[in-house]
Amino acid sequence: MVNGEHLTGNEQDLVQRVTFATSCLSVVGTLLTIAGFLHQRHVTRELALGKKLWLILSVMDLFMAVAYALPGASSEGRSAVCKAQALMITFFEGSSLLWTGTIALYLYMRICTSRSSMRWCHVAMAVSVTWPILATILQAVYNSVGYAGNWCWVPATMHGATLWRLFLIYIPMWSIVLFCTITYIIISVHIRRTLKITPLLESEARERVSRQLRVLLFIPLLLILLRVWGSANRIHDILYPDKHIFWLYVAQAVGDPGQGFFNGILYLSTWPSVRRVLCCDSSQHPRLSSEDGREYIASAERLNTPTRDSMTFR
């Protein structure tokens, strides 16, 4: 997604090396994340959806990293590898973004609403599957692939390249960023309000929920920090096509293929909290006590909010 035509040979070489290194780190990060989830053998029924969503996201991140690691740019758009890289980036990066949004919706439905509304998660899952397929097919049919600077995607020399790039990645990406940010703010406010009116909740339980809340806030923040560089670079290229900012290319080479690596760090460094937020092993991370549960239900009723097990992050 980078137009590297104005970079010097040494600059292009460095950016490509950074891209490859970040992609390799993402492969390692996603494999560790997948292994961590698969290691959980004794899971509850509730774990099924949350675990599957994170596993699907990890798989999408894995193949997105593989796509960025392909040597497509070396052929300058004349090889099958270049075309494969372009189509893989469109499919797996789009999928990764959409599944990130689906996880945000799942957490909102599980924490803030009733069980019956979980059907919207299945709608989001259907969109996460169909949209990348349709976008990739359209890109292939119209042959909107080629050398795009430091890897293969939509070539800058193609007629309507900016519109294609906006359509395939950037509009969906920032829509997801906005959705995730708003969703996690709503979740945070809901949890904080409930904690304030639940005076009988044990201090240990409060601290556990607070830690889980901080984990939730890391997710949209990480997404923004990784994606802002590529967008800024693209906007700069549109406004100033004859100039380049080298460090933006380097930052994009870290941010675009690096989601799997940084998601892996988030998962592994906050292992217990992530597992509880995604409904993990109840035998190791028990629910709140029955007294706490009754108090929470009463508090939720006073807020006119749903009274399901919104706070039971195992």
Side-chain angles (χ1 to χ4, degrees):
M1 294 172 217
V2 180
N3 178 13
E5 295 173 353
H6 302 296
L7 297 177
T8 66
N10 290 334
E11 289 175 338
Q12 286 189 353
D13 182 65
L14 177 58
V15 172
Q16 290 175 7
R17 289 176 182 272
V18 172
T19 301
F20 182 78
T22 306
S23 299
C24 291
L25 289 174
S26 286
V27 169
V28 174
T30 52
L31 289 177
L32 289 175
T33 301
I34 293 171
F37 270 111
L38 294 179
H39 182 68
Q40 301 171 24
R41 297 180 179 180
H42 303 289
V43 297
T44 65
R45 185 177 179 180
E46 279 192 4
L47 169 59
L49 183 56
K51 178 181 177 181
K52 286 178 181 177
L53 290 177
W54 196 280
L55 280 175
I56 292 172
L57 173 62
S58 298
V59 171
M60 296 301 109
D61 288 342
L62 173 62
F63 283 100
M64 180 175 67
V66 171
Y68 276 106
L70 292 176
S74 60
S75 66
E76 298 190 359
R78 294 187 294 268
S79 70
V81 175
C82 179
K83 294 180 179 180
Q85 183 182 45
L87 296 177
M88 287 178 66
I89 287 175
T90 295
F91 179 82
F92 290 111
E93 186 161 354
S95 296
S96 176
L97 292 168
L98 288 170
W99 285 108
T100 300
T102 300
I103 290 175
L105 179 62
Y106 163 75
L107 291 174
Y108 170 77
M109 293 299 180
R110 180 171 181 268
I111 294 171
C112 302
T113 67
S114 63
R115 290 183 183 275
S116 61
S117 61
M118 290 297 288
R119 64 181 181 273
W120 289 108
C121 285
H122 295 93
V123 173
M125 292 168 65
V127 173
S128 299
V129 171
T130 56
W131 172 256
I133 293 175
L134 292 175
T136 305
I137 291 174
L138 286 174
Q139 186 183 14
V141 168
Y142 287 94
N143 198 30
S144 303
V145 298
Y147 178 63
N150 297 302
W151 49 72
C152 292
W153 192 50
V154 178
T157 55
M158 174 187 171
H159 178 70
T162 298
L163 293 178
W164 271 105
R165 291 172 174 180
L166 290 173
F167 169 75
L168 292 175
I169 292 295
Y170 289 105
I171 290 178
M173 177 178 69
W174 285 104
S175 298
I176 293 297
V177 168
L178 180 62
F179 172 77
C180 288
T181 302
I182 294 174
T183 300
Y184 287 118
I185 289 175
I186 292 173
I187 293 173
S188 300
V189 171
H190 175 85
I191 294 175
R192 292 183 188 279
R193 289 179 64 193
T194 304
L195 287 176
K196 285 182 180 179
I197 63 171
T198 313
L200 297 182
L201 197 63
E202 297 176 358
S203 59
E204 181 180 351
R206 285 179 176 273
E207 178 60 27
R208 184 170 65 247
V209 172
S210 296
R211 289 197 302 268
Q212 295 158 7
L213 179 59
R214 289 193 292 270
V215 171
L216 290 179
L217 295 178
F218 281 139
I219 298 175
L221 179 62
L222 179 62
L223 185 62
I224 293 172
L225 289 177
L226 290 177
R227 298 298 178 175
V228 68
W229 311 112
S231 299
N233 198 26
R234 175 56 42 217
I235 293 172
H236 181 271
D237 282 349
I238 294 173
L239 296 177
Y240 306 100
D242 297 327
K243 299 179 181 179
H244 75 274
I245 301 178
F246 174 63
W247 67 266
L248 271 181
Y249 286 89
V250 176
Q252 185 176 5
V254 173
D256 282 8
Q259 183 166 327
F261 173 64
F262 289 101
N263 279 347
I265 290 178
L266 175 64
Y267 173 76
L268 295 173
S269 63
T270 58
W271 175 277
S273 294
V274 170
R275 291 176 65 180
R276 293 186 189 111
V277 168
L278 291 176
C279 307
C280 289
D281 192 343
S282 59
S283 64
Q284 297 182 21
H285 304 288
R287 293 171 179 266
L288 300 181
S289 66
S290 57
E291 293 78 8
D292 293 335
R294 286 194 293 270
E295 177 63 24
Y296 171 72
I297 290 174
S299 301
E301 288 175 343
R302 291 196 293 272
L303 275 175
N304 293 320
T305 57
T307 60
R308 56 182 302 276
D309 58 337
S310 302
M311 296 291 288
T312 55
F313 305 127
R314 287 190 285 276

